[in-house]
């Protein structure tokens, strides 16, 4: 098969479009014929993109951990998807990804693809939308009527945070570049703010940026409020000093949650967002496009 691979750890410059062995599904795995794969620009910086969980090198590696495609074959002991079924899913970060013609994925991590959108749009959901759902529901337990602040609302995860928070009947306040205001309001934001006048008024803040923005996000919260950070944990002791909770997590595959997200898409309540598309043979250019970001998710 053809694949985008890196033989040495590094950035986009290490990626080569080349022939690679077609993977064979092991016990519990499904072999998926890839129709579309979405990338996360930062994934080439992650240790698990290059090594096993015990630290062993696993190059050459195939990047891209969001896949939409068709089940080609099943390994031993699989119950769930069937051969020929259209599926989508999040691939664990210590496995080869979907920037290839075929990929093996634990069958339990695959869900039926949303029926109303093409594979290119479905592929943008497994990491970004699943991260947003787990941040809002599993971590922050957002309730109807709560004031939810989304920092980075026009980014790859932010666009789903806004939509999903609005769908949870929260009051959504979005922060992004001024030129993004009309766009994020169209996604469901009730307010657009630079956060300067919100101090002490927010129930839940979701910070997609990190760094110096984490203390700024904590300042927005009322006593007892919740901060969910996606880029890095809050500095030790900072949340406690402000009488708030700080939560940090790494997104995990979840078939039930992907099934729910697909239902939201098919009901017209969640809109997949694609910024650019690239053919697989230009996958390196997709990663290099991070130097000239269009702002949202990318698919190969």
């Amino acid at each position: 098969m053809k694949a985008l691979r890196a033989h040495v750890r590094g950035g986009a410059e290490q990626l080569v479009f080349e022939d690679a062995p077609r993977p064979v599904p092991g016990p519990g795995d499904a072999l998926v014929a890839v129709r579309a794969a979405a990338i996360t620009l930062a994934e080439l910086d992650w240790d698990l993109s290059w090594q096993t969980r015990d630290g062993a090198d696993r190059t050459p590696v195939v990047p891209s951990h969001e896949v939409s495609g068709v089940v080609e074959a099943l390994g031993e002991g699989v119950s769930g998807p069937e051969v020929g079924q259209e599926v989508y899913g999040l691939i664990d970060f210590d496995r080869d990804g979907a920037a290839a013609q075929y990929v093996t994925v634990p069958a339990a991590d695959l869900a039926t693809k949303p029926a109303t959108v093409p594979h290119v749009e479905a592929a943008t959901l497994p990491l970004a939308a699943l991260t947003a759902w787990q941040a809002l529901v599993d971590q922050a337990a957002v309730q109807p009527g709560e004031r939810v602040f989304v920092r980075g609302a026009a980014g790859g995860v932010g666009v789903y945070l806004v939509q999903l928070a609005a769908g949870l009947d929260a009051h959504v306040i979005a922060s992004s570049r001024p030129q993004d205001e009309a766009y994020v309001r169209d996604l469901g934001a009730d307010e657009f703010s630079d956060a300067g006048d919100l101090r002490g008024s927010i129930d839940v803040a979701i910070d997609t940026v990190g760094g110096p923005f984490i203390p700024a996000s904590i300042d927005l919260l009322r006593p007892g409020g919740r901060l969910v950070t996606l880029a890095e944990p809050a500095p030790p002791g900072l949340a406690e000093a402000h009488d708030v909770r700080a939560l940090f997590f790494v997104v995990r595959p979840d078939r039930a949650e992907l099934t729910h997200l697909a239902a939201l898409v098919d009901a017209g309540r969640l809109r997949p967002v694609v910024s650019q598309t690239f053919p697989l043979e230009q996958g390196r250019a997709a990663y290099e496009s991070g130097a000239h970001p269009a702002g949202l998710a990318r698919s190969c």
Side-chain angles (χ1 to χ4, degrees):
M1 69 172 185
K2 291 292 188 180
L4 187 70
R5 297 203 296 177
H7 293 259
V8 178
R9 181 167 183 167
E13 75 282 354
Q14 299 295 342
L15 296 172
V16 181
F17 178 67
E18 62 184 5
D19 291 322
R22 174 169 155 169
V24 176
D29 285 347
L31 177 68
V32 177
V34 178
R35 297 292 183 264
I39 71 170
T40 300
L41 292 171
E43 68 182 89
L44 298 180
D45 297 328
W46 302 342
D47 288 341
L48 286 181
S49 293
W50 303 96
Q51 61 192 39
T52 65
R53 293 189 183 273
D54 61 6
D57 179 84
R58 61 180 190 85
T59 54
V61 299
V62 178
S64 175
H65 297 278
E66 299 177 272
V67 64
S68 184
V70 179
V71 175
E72 182 86 3
L74 297 171
E76 182 182 351
V78 170
S79 60
E82 299 178 352
V83 172
Q85 182 176 343
E86 292 189 325
V87 294
Y88 79 133
L90 175 64
I91 302 167
D92 272 329
F93 303 125
D94 60 344
R95 296 177 65 109
D96 274 343
Q101 290 178 308
Y102 296 92
V103 64
T104 56
V105 186
D109 294 343
L110 294 170
T112 301
K113 168 191 161 293
T116 56
V117 297
H119 287 285
V120 166
E121 294 186 13
T124 69
L125 298 166
L127 192 151
L130 200 56
T131 297
W133 180 262
Q134 291 176 5
L136 292 165
V137 177
D138 299 345
Q139 299 294 318
V142 169
Q143 300 300 306
E146 287 194 307
R147 291 168 59 83
V148 175
F149 176 79
V150 178
R151 190 182 296 280
V157 177
V159 296
Y160 296 113
L161 284 166
V162 170
Q163 294 182 73
L164 291 170
L168 294 168
D169 295 324
H171 182 88
V172 183
I173 304 159
S175 176
S176 189
R177 300 172 301 177
Q179 59 266 39
D180 296 326
E181 178 173 359
Y183 176 64
V184 296
R185 284 186 179 274
D186 183 60
L187 291 175
D190 298 289
E191 298 181 39
F192 187 87
S193 174
D194 64 2
D197 57 349
L198 298 174
R199 187 170 183 174
S201 70
I202 299 299
D203 297 295
V204 175
I206 313 290
D207 191 309
T208 70
V209 182
F213 290 101
I214 292 177
S217 294
I218 285 179
D219 282 343
L220 303 180
L221 293 169
R222 61 164 177 80
R226 292 96 76 199
L227 169 69
V228 182
T229 59
L230 303 183
E232 59 186 311
L238 186 61
E240 292 81 359
H242 288 75
D243 191 23
V244 300
R245 292 175 60 205
L247 305 157
F248 172 76
F249 74 105
V250 176
V251 63
R252 67 186 188 283
D254 191 300
R255 175 190 282 177
E257 292 181 338
L258 284 172
T259 299
H260 180 69
L261 292 172
L264 292 178
V265 172
D266 288 339
R269 297 169 56 194
L270 182 63
R271 183 196 318 172
V273 179
V274 178
S275 84
Q276 299 180 70
T277 60
F278 299 80
L280 179 59
E281 60 266 27
Q282 295 177 22
R284 176 173 168 175
Y287 285 91
E288 291 172 339
S289 71
H292 317 283
L296 307 173
R298 293 156 175 79
S299 293
C300 301

